[in-house]
Amino acid sequence: MQLTGCSQSLVFRAMTDNNLTRLTAHKLRELALSVPEGQFLGTEKDLLARFGISRPTFRQAVQLVEAERIVATVRGLNGGLFSRNPDMEGVVSSAASYLRSRETTLGDVLLAANSAIADAVGIAAECTDAGLREELAHLIGELTARQAGPQPFAAFRDDELRAIDLFCRMCGNPALDLMIRVLFRVGMAAFEEIFEGREKLMQQRRTARLHILSAIHVHDRARALEICRRNGDLSRTRLAPKLLERRMQAMPPAVPED
């Protein structure tokens, strides 16, 4: 189908407007991230003059950046646009939704998660933060005290998330932290199907988790990584191919925040 001159003009204008909206959103994003949280960025009138754009384009750009939780709009007297720090939950939720939209499978998630967790564990074994190491010792004590007895699935899942959360904070790498939290947000959709009712598999996972934490506690990086690798391999080999090929869809619970 051949476009008329008028149609071509409309298409070009729409593309131009869309590009200008994205460019304005980029400028707003950079402005908000360059100042402390809660900083006043300007009124709509101020920012329209600053960027030299139309009100509809500006408002569309604001909507894009608001969706990323980077700015907040305050209405009325003394209102305007204010900076926000993007929170982990918003970023994780958006990234997890993207993975689900790309028909990510459980096998994809496990492969990436095992690699990311191994990296985090290796760094965590070198962590010297006194507060985090005290928290680590406390968690090891808790898990050791209930290691021998049976554990309900809900408690097992909560302990898993606590350990992952501690790995993330001890590694001190924001990129790894985000990656692991995103992967667990998606992968937790299948957690119940993998483990509930499979006491032997849960016990193997609990034992491996405790050994990893104990190796981190004594700064034994090599042992922590070896146990982590074997634990990851076990998780994949014990699952049915149909489950590994299952596409992630459901929204699972979030990894606990600090």
Side-chain angles (χ1 to χ4, degrees):
M1 182 178 68
Q2 188 172 10
L3 295 175
T4 65
C6 181
S7 297
Q8 289 176 335
S9 177
L10 289 173
V11 169
F12 178 75
R13 180 179 299 176
M15 292 175 61
T16 301
D17 290 346
N18 191 38
N19 288 337
L20 186 56
T21 298
R22 289 201 302 268
L23 177 60
T24 304
H26 171 72
K27 291 178 179 178
L28 286 172
R29 190 180 298 112
E30 292 301 307
L31 176 62
L33 292 174
S34 68
V35 298
E37 183 172 17
Q39 180 84 28
F40 178 63
L41 303 178
T43 64
E44 182 177 78
K45 182 178 179 181
D46 294 336
L47 294 168
L48 284 174
R50 177 172 181 170
F51 296 138
I53 54 175
S54 68
R55 182 171 281 106
T57 297
F58 175 77
R59 290 183 174 177
Q60 289 171 16
V62 169
Q63 287 179 349
L64 290 176
V65 185
E66 278 184 324
E68 299 171 10
R69 306 188 191 190
I70 294 175
V71 300
T73 301
V74 176
R75 307 293 180 188
L77 189 65
N78 300 322
L81 210 61
F82 292 80
S83 64
R84 291 182 62 186
N85 285 342
D87 60 274
M88 178 67 81
E89 174 59 23
V91 176
V92 167
S93 180
S94 296
S97 296
Y98 170 79
L99 288 179
R100 288 194 298 278
S101 74
R102 293 298 300 270
E103 301 184 340
T104 304
T105 66
L106 177 60
D108 295 330
V109 171
L110 286 178
L111 183 64
N114 290 341
S115 177
I117 291 171
D119 288 338
V121 163
I123 299 172
E126 300 172 350
C127 175
T128 57
D129 183 282
L132 290 174
R133 292 193 58 77
E134 182 178 350
E135 189 175 338
L136 171 64
H138 182 72
L139 180 58
I140 290 172
E142 280 190 38
L143 298 183
T144 300
R146 56 176 175 263
Q147 176 67 11
Q151 186 177 42
F153 169 75
F156 166 79
R157 180 195 60 205
D158 290 345
D159 283 347
E160 184 78 6
L161 293 178
R162 286 178 65 193
I164 292 298
D165 177 64
L166 187 56
F167 293 156
C168 287
R169 289 185 288 120
M170 290 188 75
C171 84
N173 183 317
L176 269 178
D177 187 338
L178 176 60
M179 184 184 303
I180 291 169
R181 292 179 192 273
V182 168
L183 292 169
F184 263 73
R185 167 61 65 88
V186 179
M188 284 299 292
F191 212 66
E192 185 172 355
E193 189 173 353
I194 294 171
F195 291 105
E196 189 166 30
R198 303 180 69 186
E199 285 75 12
K200 185 176 180 180
L201 183 59
M202 280 200 296
Q203 184 62 41
Q204 289 173 336
R205 181 88 168 195
R206 291 168 65 193
T207 300
R209 180 204 304 143
L210 184 55
H211 286 168
I212 292 170
L213 291 168
S214 298
I216 291 174
H217 188 249
V218 297
H219 299 290
D220 192 340
R221 184 175 184 273
R223 176 166 169 74
L225 286 174
E226 175 59 22
I227 300 169
C228 192
R229 184 192 63 77
R230 285 193 276 110
N231 191 40
D233 290 344
L234 177 67
S235 297
R236 288 177 57 82
T237 56
R238 293 292 299 272
L239 299 184
K242 285 187 177 180
L243 185 56
L244 287 172
E245 293 166 5
R246 199 185 81 179
R247 294 170 181 171
M248 299 288 89
Q249 295 296 332
M251 173 62 80
V255 174
E257 295 291 339
D258 298 353

